[in-house]
Amino acid sequence: MGDRWAIGLDLGGTDLKSGRVAHDGVLQGFSRRPSRTAESPDGPFQALEAAAMELRGSTQGEIVALGVGVPGPIDPRSGSQVGRTAHLPEWQDTPVRQWLEKRLGLPVAVDNDANLAALAEHRMGVARGTRISITITLGTGIGCGIIVDGRVLHGGWGGAGELGHIPLARGTTECACGVPGCVEPEASASGLMRQARERGLEDQSAEALFHRARLGDEEAQAMVEAMVDRLGATVATAVNILNPQLVVVGGGLAKAGDTLLDPLGRAIRRYALASHAKGLRIEPAALGERAGTVGAGILAWERVTRPVAASASRES
Ligand SMILES: [Zn+2]
């Protein structure tokens, strides 16, 4: 009965993943539900609250804190969203931590979802023991979390690692972010699917297109090759700036396995400086689709076991 748990919630554009996380990072009670992001500003909050209440009800022992991953920049000091993001169309500068603490009466910690996947991979997964690692999460878009000396690199107000929105595109498709020549429409799964629709192809997912490429379909191979080339140039830009020891590849698209990892590894090495590519490891994420939930739980634990004031002073 003396068990203590944190609740981990990973809010995505479509799904909300949840579970309880022990102090050593072990995850239990993992489940998913619709994240209701397009309904109204309250939709995602209602989904978060329902998931938290359900876990409270089913947990034997004490809930010490709650951690939440959000698909967009989060100011680490206030726990509020910074600006807006395409994946949460109804939210702008939303005070996520404040709202949840008031509703649930628990200490709450909030961070960007890719940052939390990177944190989980560092504490529990393939990035253990590295000094500097980048975790990219390839879902609808491109997420990126950077871990330096065991801590998430947040930047000035939570916006570090917005790797998807750098101007490396070759075509004319505009990204909703407003950056001219933003690469995400050419380097992401959603961009690949848009192209497939424009060509009248019937693939239902980027994974299906990758599968067809692996089976030797030339059109699918050319589309995948073009997308992975731009993704490789994007990741190599981060490699040249940060000189990471490890790039972790996660998110739904990583389920394509070597069909993605082999050409992506070649593309990263094509555009990275030889000195930076030489010792670089590129590995699939160990925690898969659960990384964000585990990372949210780990963040919650770190919120209650490390004084907030000390944490804030180190951030500034
Ligand atoms: Zn963009």
Side-chain angles (χ1 to χ4, degrees):
M1 280 304 289
D3 290 353
R4 300 172 80 221
W5 298 92
I7 290 175
L9 303 174
D10 180 11
L11 184 70
T14 331
D15 281 344
L16 166 63
K17 303 188 196 94
S18 58
R20 58 178 164 268
V21 179
H23 189 249
D24 60 4
V26 168
L27 175 71
Q28 281 189 0
F30 181 77
S31 70
R32 63 172 80 215
R33 70 184 67 221
S35 54
R36 303 173 56 185
T37 47
E39 267 177 38
S40 66
D42 280 342
F45 277 124
Q46 284 164 9
L48 289 164
E49 190 177 7
M53 295 306 285
E54 188 181 292
L55 280 160
R56 254 186 170 171
S58 64
T59 298
Q60 306 249 312
E62 183 192 356
I63 305 283
V64 297
L66 180 138
V68 187
V70 173
I74 294 289
D75 188 317
R77 282 162 294 192
S78 64
S80 296
Q81 184 196 20
V82 181
R84 46 187 316 138
T85 165
H87 305 295
L88 285 166
E90 299 287 332
W91 281 10
Q92 180 164 4
D93 298 315
T94 301
V96 185
R97 186 173 87 196
Q98 197 185 39
W99 192 94
L100 286 169
E101 284 192 335
K102 214 178 267 177
R103 292 289 296 201
L104 296 168
L106 281 170
V108 174
V110 187
D111 205 338
N112 169 267
D113 55 355
N115 287 352
L116 294 180
L119 183 68
E121 290 293 339
H122 180 268
R123 298 291 195 273
M124 306 282 298
V126 69
R128 279 173 90 151
T130 55
R131 264 188 302 108
I132 175 158
S133 62
I134 298 173
T135 296
I136 55 168
T137 55
L138 306 173
T140 314
I142 301 167
C144 172
I146 302 161
I147 303 286
V148 183
D149 294 329
R151 292 171 59 81
V152 172
L153 182 76
H154 284 109
W157 41 90
E162 283 297 326
L163 196 55
H165 305 285
I166 56 176
L168 278 173
R170 289 193 157 138
T172 53
T173 307
E174 279 179 29
C175 177
C177 72
V179 174
C182 173
V183 79
E184 197 168 76
E186 292 184 11
S188 62
S190 56
L192 198 61
M193 290 316 292
R194 195 199 59 251
Q195 280 181 45
R197 283 193 301 275
E198 284 168 5
R199 290 169 182 236
L201 303 178
E202 289 178 358
D203 304 272
Q204 294 301 308
S205 66
E207 287 88 341
L209 236 158
F210 270 81
H211 183 68
R212 226 149 48 75
R214 186 169 54 222
L215 296 179
D217 181 288
E218 285 185 14
E219 185 179 27
Q221 281 176 343
M223 290 171 67
V224 164
E225 184 58 44
M227 175 224 153
V228 168
D229 180 83
R230 288 300 83 197
L231 181 58
T234 303
V235 177
T237 302
V239 167
N240 289 349
I241 292 169
L242 294 166
N243 183 208
Q245 298 160 292
L246 171 68
V247 173
V248 182
V249 183
L253 199 58
K255 287 184 199 151
D258 290 344
T259 315
L260 169 70
L261 279 172
D262 289 349
L264 179 58
R266 285 195 298 275
I268 293 171
R269 291 175 195 286
R270 189 178 309 144
Y271 296 108
L273 287 165
S275 51
H276 293 47
K278 189 164 179 260
L280 177 68
R281 289 193 293 133
I282 301 165
E283 309 262 359
L287 297 167
E289 62 172 4
R290 301 181 177 206
T293 310
V294 173
I298 291 170
L299 180 75
W301 274 108
E302 294 186 355
R303 163 98 162 78
V304 289
T305 56
R306 192 175 57 202
V308 175
S311 156
S313 69
R314 279 201 299 273
E315 290 290 350
S316 54

